[in-house]
Amino acid sequence: MTGSGSPVSVRDVDIRFGDFVAVRQANLDIGAGEFVCLLGPSGCGKSTLLNAIAGFVTPVDGEVTCGDTRVTGPDVSRGVVFQSAEALFPWLTVRQNVAFGPRMRGVGKAQRATAVDRYLAMVGLSHSADRFPAQLSGGMRQRAQLARVLANEPSVVLMDEPFGALDAQTRLVMQVELDRIWRETGATIVFVTHDIGEAILLADRIVTMTAGPSAGIKNIYPCDLPRPRDLTDPASAALFRQLREDIGAEVARTLRAQGLDDGHDGRATGDPAGRPAGAGTVEPSSPGVNGTRVADGDRRALR
């Protein structure tokens, strides 16, 4: 890696799909090397905004820049880690998957091998380099996907709920590892999550979004708590409650729009003592089920 990330700027961005307005007038500045989490209920445009930064989606108005360059399409300087481990090529070994990007860019064999060894070691997969994806656990596949992205030495890493399909314990391990890798590489990270606790554990700033359609940036919360973080710490718990209420208001608004409101205020229920419940995942309920839910198990300190 170059040792430093690139700044990202989102300016007056509107994103439409036909007549559907997914995101309206989004504005966000992300500093070089910053870790920013996009947090909000399902359908609020988090992934759509991330895709615009990646260059997968073109805004109809406004612009996205990375460094001094306007984003007009995908680029090796912006790596994407997806939620699904199916993004790995199943017919290639872990080593071959990680080497794929540098090979496509014409990196020499010796330099490519050095880079692959480095990033496999960074994510703790040196011992599994010659296995195929089907022979790996879910957490190991996500590590392999992260190593494949890092091997291209991007200045910006975009992560779309990368740990959403993992069990609670593996997810906690991956959060610890990502925090370490981010500090080691210096890359800018934009991370999409539904999980309030995950955002608090990882982010420098947490960006909440309004419920869609026509979603936008709602609030930006600095998260300058010392690392490693503990969700039972009073400052973390206070921020958790603040974020829960922020997102809960959007969930309630969505339910009212669907005619599902039963008088609840949209807040997820937490520990009776006011501590964060589970990982703090808050999202709209499925059709026909009122209220919101809190997912995952009890969180411990990020150690």
Side-chain angles (χ1 to χ4, degrees):
M1 298 289 291
T2 61
S4 62
S6 294
V8 175
S9 179
V10 176
R11 283 278 176 268
D12 300 323
V13 163
D14 286 1
I15 301 172
R16 298 189 184 98
F17 301 100
D19 294 331
F20 178 77
V21 181
V23 175
R24 185 186 295 278
Q25 289 294 293
N27 287 278
L28 179 64
D29 287 313
I30 299 171
E34 189 175 19
F35 197 130
V36 169
C37 281
L38 302 180
L39 181 68
S42 294
C44 74
K46 303 182 300 296
S47 294
T48 301
L49 188 58
L50 192 82
N51 285 339
I53 298 172
F56 299 153
V57 172
T58 302
V60 295
D61 289 308
E63 68 173 8
V64 178
T65 59
C66 180
D68 297 325
T69 304
R70 182 170 182 168
V71 174
T72 58
D75 187 82
V76 71
S77 66
R78 286 167 273 113
V80 181
V81 179
F82 300 97
Q83 179 176 349
S84 173
E86 301 303 317
L88 294 172
F89 299 126
W91 60 88
L92 299 180
T93 65
V94 170
R95 184 185 304 279
Q96 291 167 335
N97 264 283
V98 176
F100 182 81
R103 182 164 64 87
M104 291 295 100
R105 292 189 290 117
V107 176
K109 186 174 181 179
Q111 184 180 352
R112 187 166 72 234
T114 298
V116 169
D117 288 343
R118 177 187 178 190
Y119 291 111
L120 285 176
M122 185 180 291
V123 302
L125 282 181
S126 296
H127 65 292
S128 300
D130 296 318
R131 295 184 187 179
F132 290 92
Q135 299 173 305
L136 305 178
S137 68
M140 293 170 75
R141 287 195 294 270
Q142 288 304 82
R143 289 171 187 260
Q145 192 182 165
L146 180 57
R148 186 174 67 173
V149 167
L150 294 176
N152 285 313
E153 300 192 340
S155 59
V156 177
V157 177
L158 307 170
M159 309 186 77
D160 192 359
E161 298 191 70
F163 309 145
L166 303 179
D167 66 84
Q169 295 305 315
T170 302
R171 188 170 185 167
L172 181 58
V173 170
M174 290 301 298
Q175 290 163 354
V176 174
E177 289 301 292
L178 178 59
D179 180 73
R180 174 184 61 81
I181 291 167
W182 165 63
R183 286 186 282 178
E184 185 173 341
T185 62
T188 303
I189 295 183
V190 185
F191 188 104
V192 167
T193 183
H194 287 92
D195 188 326
I196 297 174
E198 183 168 69
I200 293 173
L201 291 175
L202 293 173
D204 290 325
R205 288 188 298 158
I206 300 170
V207 179
T208 61
M209 297 186 68
T210 61
S214 296
I217 305 298
K218 185 179 182 183
N219 290 307
I220 300 177
Y221 297 84
C223 193
D224 53 2
L225 304 171
R227 299 174 186 268
R229 293 169 178 167
D230 182 348
L231 292 182
T232 64
D233 176 83
S236 297
L239 179 57
F240 184 100
R241 289 191 292 270
Q242 191 175 8
L243 289 164
R244 183 181 62 188
E245 291 174 2
D246 185 320
I247 296 171
E250 297 305 311
V251 173
R253 186 163 70 88
T254 298
L255 293 176
R256 285 195 297 271
Q258 296 174 354
L260 298 176
D261 182 37
D262 61 358
H264 290 268
D265 61 4
R267 291 181 297 172
T269 55
D271 183 278
R275 295 186 296 262
T281 301
V282 183
E283 58 183 10
S285 59
S286 300
V289 181
N290 294 334
T292 59
R293 64 184 177 86
V294 177
D296 288 356
D298 184 28
R299 290 274 178 186
R300 300 298 182 223
L302 177 59
R303 302 187 188 280

